[in-house]
Amino acid sequence: MRNSNARAESEVVMLREICNVCARCEIRSLAICAALQENEVAALESIMTSRELAPEETLLHEGDKRRRVYSLTSGMLRLSTILFDGRRQITGFLMPGDYLGLADEEVYTTNVEAVAPSVLCSFSVQDMDNLMQRFPKLKERLYLFTRAALRQARDDQIMLGRLAPVEKLASFLLLLSARAKSHQQPDNPVPLPMSRSDIADYLGLTIETVSRSFTKLRTQGLIRLEDAHLVEILDRRALAAVAGIERH
Amino acid sequence: MRNSNARAESEVVMLREICNVCARCEIRSLAICAALQENEVAALESIMTSRELAPEETLLHEGDKRRRVYSLTSGMLRLSTILFDGRRQITGFLMPGDYLGLADEEVYTTNVEAVAPSVLCSFSVQDMDNLMQRFPKLKERLYLFTRAALRQARDDQIMLGRLAPVEKLASFLLLLSARAKSHQQPDNPVPLPMSRSDIADYLGLTIETVSRSFTKLRTQGLIRLEDAHLVEILDRRALAAVAGIERH
DNA sequence: CGGTCCTTTGATACAACTCAACGTATGTGG
DNA sequence: CCACATACGTTGAGTTGTATCAAAGGACCG
């Protein structure tokens, strides 16, 4: 019994070395994993399981007990909250390298759903807590992510509270472009995996107003819509001016 | 020379023991200080200086280098961002026990001004970093504060993006009431130290619409305005219903 | 090829903004 | 001490812009 266990374990180790998922992970430098050295990543990998999501599939419900945390490796997720009468606010889109569960304590405070087919690394909260105790750098990086998320949420407050529809859309497109770039992807034809409805619920608008805002930017020559889900930025400077960037 | 230094230092220690500001601090259990034991607080106090602000006085400018961090002990502050054309968004109000500089990295990302006469504990970033290294619980508590701030910012996103003016105001009043309560203050006649203009810039409205929303809540019998800066909540349940609380 | 879903465009309604006036409180100088 | 000025809040009238309602154009799939 003991022998067979030991053999099984060593086989697992071998398989890991062959597969070593993390070592071949393309977005490792972006995610929390970057906090760990080459030889330390194995510890993370040993508590990790993989999870795939189809578009529109739900990962987490607001109010559910927070048992697992995640790191997105590919695809796109959305964080959303639904009001009692069906109104929805999307509080953010997650891209590869982003971490899930930054804000939550005992329970999840938002719904999380896939916008595009997505792959995640999944960890039990307890395992991750242990690992963070062992590698303080991991916790440090998570804290860094949390501060960045807070800055982004505050930028969103400005956008939601004080920008006009076209300004909202312009700043949204620039945000997506900037994040694509920071994720080592081309920043110009910007892919929009989410629906107009998702964009509307992020910007605090209706789908019709979003659509009209796209049209305005297009007729002004600032963007080109290859199709509804791929935007080419033609005049970045003018788009930034519309977005009301350059504060004060 | 050495002797006189030593004597001066011991005198400072004695004075501290006599004054021991932190020991008598009323909001200590709320602020980051609560992370430390009785006997550890002296370390915090030794790197602390006090700072007072008159109403409308500016503490920090967006973009300035982040050299100091603060803990608010009394009064109220506002976090704000100004757009190039003068539009303003207030991203939060700070109450006693709240910490300043949760989101910032190299530079401050918001302006900070006093709404009411305020007193703060001020620390150099470097001193605080050292202290956090010495007392990990301090950093832990700061991280906790940051997660709470992120949850609040996301609640604000919902409010800004999807609530109607009266709903916004109702949820604002309930927020203030809840925070007053959590700060061991009476939660019913809610004091509003800030101006209508501040409220408008927090809720993403104009002052006129804020004023009309107050009137609506008043004529519906949900609140009573003793004066413009003191609100009595008459029907908390109905106010919560208007606020669109009870998500989903 | 017909059906569904998503996006865009058009017409209309209404709510929040803008502009304006009035009321109230506070403070200052004659 | 009162008259006046200033700042702030409330209320009213009119305008504008976004939401709503409606329909048509495309893309995708069975």
Side-chain angles (χ1 to χ4, degrees), chain B residues 149-220:
Chain B
L150 180 53
R151 289 194 298 276
Q152 181 60 53
R154 287 188 174 156
D155 280 350
D156 288 351
Q157 279 181 255
I158 300 163
M159 180 273 285
L160 287 164
R162 286 296 175 224
L163 296 193
V166 237
E167 297 175 322
K168 287 180 177 182
L169 183 59
S171 83
F172 176 62
L173 295 177
L174 289 170
L175 173 66
L176 283 186
S177 174
R179 298 196 71 193
K181 189 175 188 178
S182 79
H183 289 222
Q184 298 153 349
Q185 280 161 13
D187 71 336
N188 201 348
V190 183
L192 305 173
M194 70 291 287
S195 67
R196 292 295 187 261
S197 172
D198 286 338
I199 299 176
D201 286 345
Y202 176 66
L203 301 180
L205 302 170
T206 59
I207 53 171
E208 294 93 334
T209 301
V210 169
S211 185
R212 282 185 245 271
S213 299
F214 269 113
T215 305
K216 273 188 196 168
L217 292 178
R218 183 169 49 74
T219 56
Q220 287 174 11

Side-chain angles (χ1 to χ4, degrees), chain A residues 52-72:
Chain A
E52 298 194 10
L53 291 173
E56 298 304 307
E57 196 178 344
T58 296
L59 177 65
L60 306 171
H61 287 282
E62 176 177 350
D64 282 358
K65 192 123 193 278
R66 175 173 170 274
R67 296 185 205 282
R68 302 193 72 80
V69 290
Y70 304 85
S71 179
L72 183 61

Side-chain angles (χ1 to χ4, degrees), chain B residues 211-238:
Chain B
S211 185
R212 282 185 245 271
S213 299
F214 269 113
T215 305
K216 273 188 196 168
L217 292 178
R218 183 169 49 74
T219 56
Q220 287 174 11
L222 307 190
I223 62 169
R224 195 171 71 88
L225 280 167
E226 255 172 76
D227 66 281
H229 295 281
L230 189 60
V231 181
E232 186 182 354
I233 296 174
L234 298 176
D235 188 342
R236 189 173 291 266
R237 187 167 294 260

Side-chain angles (χ1 to χ4, degrees), chain A residues 30 44 73 99 142 148 159 172 195 204 207 225 236 247-248:
Chain A
L30 302 169
L44 191 68
T73 56
Y99 190 85
L142 222 55
M159 180 273 287
F172 177 63
S195 67
I207 53 171
L225 279 167
R236 188 172 292 265
R247 318 231 185 95
H248 209 159

Side-chain angles (χ1 to χ4, degrees), chain A residues 9-21 42 45-48:
Chain A
E9 273 172 33
S10 83
E11 194 180 330
V12 165
V13 169
M14 276 176 62
L15 282 171
R16 284 229 179 84
E17 280 180 3
I18 293 164
C19 298
N20 61 351
V21 184
E45 201 166 345
S46 71
I47 62 167
M48 183 268 267

Side-chain angles (χ1 to χ4, degrees), chain B residues 24 48 61 122 132 138 145 162 206 235:
Chain B
R24 286 185 288 102
M48 182 266 269
H61 287 282
S122 168
M132 287 192 299
L138 206 58
F145 278 24
R162 286 296 175 224
T206 59
D235 188 342

